[in-house]
Amino acid sequence: MIGNHDNRAAFRTVFPDHPVDGNGYINHGETIDGVRFIYLDSVKERTHAGHFCAARRDWLQGELEGCTRARIFLHHNPMPVGLPAEDRIALVPEDRPPFKALIEAHAARIDYIHFGHVHAPIHGCFAGVQFASVPSTGNQSIPDLNETELLQGAPMAPAYCVVLIDGQDTTIHQIPFAWDGPVMTAGTGWEDWAKPTEAAE
Ligand SMILES: [Fe+2]
């Protein structure tokens, strides 16, 4: 997948065998255990904001209509997340309503929407579909619900996420891979403490 720091033409040169859609966007999908994993290209050259034009929406519509279950991945947050400065580089306002309408129309078959870009764990529901973002493996953003111009970031602990998928069920773990401090290890000792009353009976 590509994000706002990537160049589509360069990507295709370096990864010539990577699947693309009929228009050359890095849109592709694969079916795993009956679920269509759909990977979107939300990039436009020379802007950090997300774009998902009519041609890409047509492709996504075809993917959604052609499957029974789907899970969507894209770089940009396709919705504003309530952070005015960050929302300036979300999916651009003109592309939001048609994208949302497309998701809403197929919400019953979409298990999750996963995205990055925001450098923070943000979770919610959009057009009837649950969504989650991920922290950054580099610098983190600090949510500021009032700032309208400047992105606020800090070198806080990086992380990535591991998504466990079981059919339509989703479990997301945030892995603090850079932690090098102490780790306390404890046994559960179920038989010792979990059922004292039962043991006493
Ligand atoms: Fe980004």
Side-chain angles (χ1 to χ4, degrees):
M1 298 180 64
I2 58 174
N4 55 301
H5 295 284
D6 298 317
N7 177 280
R8 186 179 299 108
F11 180 91
R12 293 191 62 183
T13 301
V14 177
F15 301 103
D17 298 329
H18 194 282
V20 297
D21 71 12
N23 294 307
Y25 291 108
I26 319 296
N27 287 321
H28 62 114
E30 59 181 335
T31 301
I32 302 174
D33 292 338
V35 180
R36 190 68 173 166
F37 282 53
I38 302 173
Y39 311 101
L40 304 181
D41 175 345
S42 56
V43 172
K44 184 174 182 180
E45 287 76 17
R46 304 198 176 283
T47 172
H48 287 293
H51 288 259
F52 208 70
C53 57
R56 283 176 271 194
R57 291 195 297 270
D58 287 347
W59 178 88
L60 175 57
Q61 184 171 354
E63 282 287 310
L64 290 170
E65 289 175 352
C67 71
T68 53
R69 307 273 353 136
R71 187 175 286 267
I72 292 176
F73 300 81
L74 74 165
H75 179 77
H76 294 84
N77 43 311
M79 77 294 283
V81 292
L83 307 173
E86 291 199 28
D87 287 341
R88 292 168 70 103
I89 56 170
L91 186 68
V92 289
E94 60 266 33
D95 284 347
R96 290 174 196 167
F99 185 88
K100 184 173 185 176
L102 186 54
I103 296 300
E104 209 156 31
H106 300 88
R109 67 179 61 176
I110 304 172
D111 294 331
Y112 234 97
I113 298 172
H114 303 274
F115 58 83
H117 196 49
V118 292
H119 291 221
I122 302 174
H123 310 267
C125 191
F126 169 73
V129 179
Q130 293 194 85
F131 70 81
S133 66
V134 288
S136 174
T137 52
N139 64 305
Q140 310 305 306
S141 69
I142 298 174
D144 188 324
L145 283 75
N146 298 306
E147 172 62 41
T148 59
E149 295 294 325
L150 302 174
L151 298 175
Q152 317 258 12
M156 298 185 294
Y160 59 83
C161 286
V162 172
V163 182
L164 302 179
I165 297 168
D166 181 9
Q168 296 177 41
D169 298 337
T170 302
T171 303
I172 301 175
H173 291 282
Q174 184 170 317
I175 311 297
F177 66 91
W179 175 251
D180 62 357
V183 174
M184 282 74 79
T185 305
T188 52
W190 288 102
E191 297 304 323
D192 292 326
W193 61 264
K195 300 186 288 185
T197 305
E198 188 179 326
E201 285 172 351

